[in-house]
Amino acid sequence: MCLTIPSQVKEVSGRSAVIENARGKNTIDISMLPNIKKDDWILHVNKFAIRKISKKDAKEIMYLLESAKQIDLAGLSDKFKKIIEAARKRALTKDEIIYLLKTEGREKEALFSEANTIRKEYIKDFICIHGIIEFSNYCKNDCTYCGLRAGNKKIKRYRMSVEEIVKAADAAVNNKGYKLLVLQSGEDPYYTDEMLVEIITRIKEKCRVFIFVSIGERGQECYRKLKDAGAAGVLFRYETSSPKLFKATHPKGKNLENRFQHLKFMKELGYYIATGSLVGLPGQTVEDLADDILTTKEWANMVSMGPFIPMKDTPLGKSEEGGVEMNLKMIAVLRLLVKNSRIPVVTAFETVTGEEGRKRAFLAGANSLMFNLTPEKYRVQYKIYDNKFYQNEKMWEKYGLFKYEESYKMIEDRMGEEMVKN
Ligand code: SAH
């Protein structure tokens, strides 16, 4: 589902009304809301008023979605201005990306502001909300940053049954209005290809929903079967584009080539690809992060990137956290490069920054949210990292527009555009 900024009605005449928001005045069709009056607050999409809302709720949504003031570029370095101008016309080079990732103070704020402007130009004021169901925290791998690693004996493991997964998805789609769901787990061979096919088939029978799987490296055959069963996308990070760093953080025979081979055949199979990296891994350099940006641009239809957060029961438990500012700069630079792709604010980012961080991420170019829909009794046990963010999402769910068929169509259209572009 998607959320958009509210407008106030300034004038009503017959079936049309003049409305106003931060982007200016607009005349729209109000046939769907015949009782609307001057000074009312509404949500509208394109030329149609969709719903009336209270002034209080309007203020709350505006606080979250409203733009920051555009920063005046005067007085900033020539180099910075040239890069920002170039980004409108062509892809940036690695050196230019590094420059942007190193900005501080006013240049950093100007970078965020430019990314926010591009977001608004390309994707308007929509914030789309997707859901994630974490169905198993068993994992056969030993990634040194991740709390689900096989070597972590302290975590209480759980697996949701096929029945439970289908039920959770059904509730998310048919009661709450989600139209894009990620099914995520550790790499857990307990779920056979056949079980995964059954899960997807049964969800697709009950729900109009785009299913993304995030289940790790399972080989081409498995992904072919899941695609045939109706899976639309994958959430599959390459984690870091630095072979050295990948090796250091992935013992037990995992390698970066296999990660990319997966992305390659997933793309060939027609999956919509959500990928990206961890930001702020110990030992990661700004050069590594610039490579990550270029790699993400090459592979992603939708970006999936977040800060590294230390988890105490892992080898990296005592390392420093990934850092909010660098993450925001990564979001902003990516927005300059992949202008109309989805860049979600991920849970890890919210864990570090809280609700205020969401707003900052939108203002740096992010445009969607990923809400946790894992049943509560399991949620606390999906400890990828410590103190994971859980927020009461009621306000967002209440005003998530397009909960029904239009929403599915909108996502379908956007995904189509994003895939063609790539
Ligand atoms: N098994 C799936 C899903 C992995 S878990 C797969 O292999 O693709 C989802 C994501 O959590 C990982 O891709 C990783 O980027 C992220 N993650 C793991 N540990 C983390 C940590 N300590 N801090 C932040 N993100 C972490």
Side-chain angles (χ1 to χ4, degrees), residues 30-303:
I30 51 167
S31 349
M32 280 165 77
L33 304 175
N35 300 324
I36 217 79
K37 298 182 303 295
K38 182 172 180 298
D39 296 332
D40 281 348
W41 286 89
I42 55 148
L43 296 174
H44 78 104
V45 173
N46 300 328
K47 289 278 166 201
F48 295 94
I50 302 285
R51 192 184 307 175
K52 181 179 161 181
I53 59 172
S54 72
K55 182 175 171 185
K56 179 172 164 284
D57 288 337
K59 296 270 178 249
E60 209 168 327
I61 300 174
M62 279 191 308
Y63 170 73
L64 278 161
L65 302 189
E66 204 84 322
S67 46
K69 286 226 164 50
Q70 192 139 2
I71 302 245
D72 183 8
L73 294 188
L76 301 181
S77 76
D78 281 347
K79 176 146 192 198
F80 178 80
K81 282 190 277 192
K82 273 210 181 101
I83 298 177
I84 293 292
E85 267 165 40
R88 292 232 166 207
K89 295 180 218 129
R90 60 164 170 85
L92 297 179
T93 64
K94 183 171 169 185
D95 280 348
E96 290 169 332
I97 292 172
I98 291 173
Y99 184 94
L100 293 180
L101 291 179
K102 286 184 172 167
T103 50
E104 295 295 340
R106 281 191 62 219
E107 282 193 354
K108 183 182 75 177
E109 294 308 321
L111 166 66
F112 294 161
S113 154
E114 174 68 9
N116 185 40
T117 306
I118 298 224
R119 166 176 74 84
K120 294 184 145 232
E121 255 171 53
Y122 282 78
I123 28 198
K124 310 279 184 301
D125 288 308
F126 283 114
I127 297 294
C128 285
I129 306 166
H130 311 313
I132 182 162
I133 298 171
E134 300 149 332
F135 64 90
S136 159
N137 68 355
Y138 280 83
C139 190
K140 68 182 175 63
N141 295 321
D142 248 325
C143 311
T144 56
Y145 45 79
C146 184
L148 305 191
R149 69 200 304 272
N152 180 7
K153 303 293 178 221
K154 296 211 174 133
I155 186 172
K156 189 165 163 234
R157 306 279 172 176
Y158 72 89
R159 287 185 176 115
M160 285 170 67
S161 67
V162 172
E163 204 58 47
E164 283 176 305
I165 300 169
V166 174
K167 204 169 144 215
D170 186 18
V173 178
N174 294 323
N175 301 344
K176 291 185 164 176
Y178 284 86
K179 288 285 173 253
L180 195 162
L181 289 181
V182 178
L183 302 181
Q184 189 177 79
S185 68
E187 226 169 279
D188 183 4
Y190 164 85
Y191 296 87
T192 59
D193 293 0
E194 288 62 42
M195 283 165 86
L196 295 170
V197 164
E198 186 190 343
I199 292 165
I200 291 168
T201 311
R202 286 182 51 193
I203 295 175
K204 291 294 283 187
E205 274 164 16
K206 284 176 178 250
C207 313
R208 276 282 272 176
V209 65
F210 292 99
I211 301 175
F212 279 46
V213 286
S214 181
I215 52 179
E217 295 165 34
R218 305 225 8 160
Q220 186 162 2
E221 258 330 286
C222 172
Y223 279 98
R224 189 190 308 281
K225 290 182 204 160
L226 302 187
K227 188 81 183 49
D228 289 345
V234 287
L235 194 160
F236 187 90
R237 292 180 176 173
Y238 56 84
E239 312 291 5
T240 167
S241 61
S242 153
K244 196 170 134 221
L245 200 53
F246 192 94
K247 200 159 191 273
T249 46
H250 299 91
K252 263 207 178 171
K254 262 172 87 96
N255 64 64
L256 194 52
E257 291 82 65
N258 202 29
R259 232 43 212 168
F260 284 115
Q261 264 164 25
H262 269 72
L263 284 172
K264 185 159 181 291
F265 71 64
M266 286 161 169
K267 191 156 254 190
E268 282 162 10
L269 287 169
Y271 277 103
Y272 179 99
I273 311 270
T275 191
S277 60
L278 279 162
V279 178
L281 281 170
Q284 197 174 36
T285 62
V286 179
E287 285 74 15
D288 293 336
L289 290 171
D291 282 332
D292 287 355
I293 286 184
L294 292 167
T295 308
T296 301
K297 178 178 160 45
E298 185 184 339
W299 288 100
N301 300 115
M302 165 169 148
V303 175

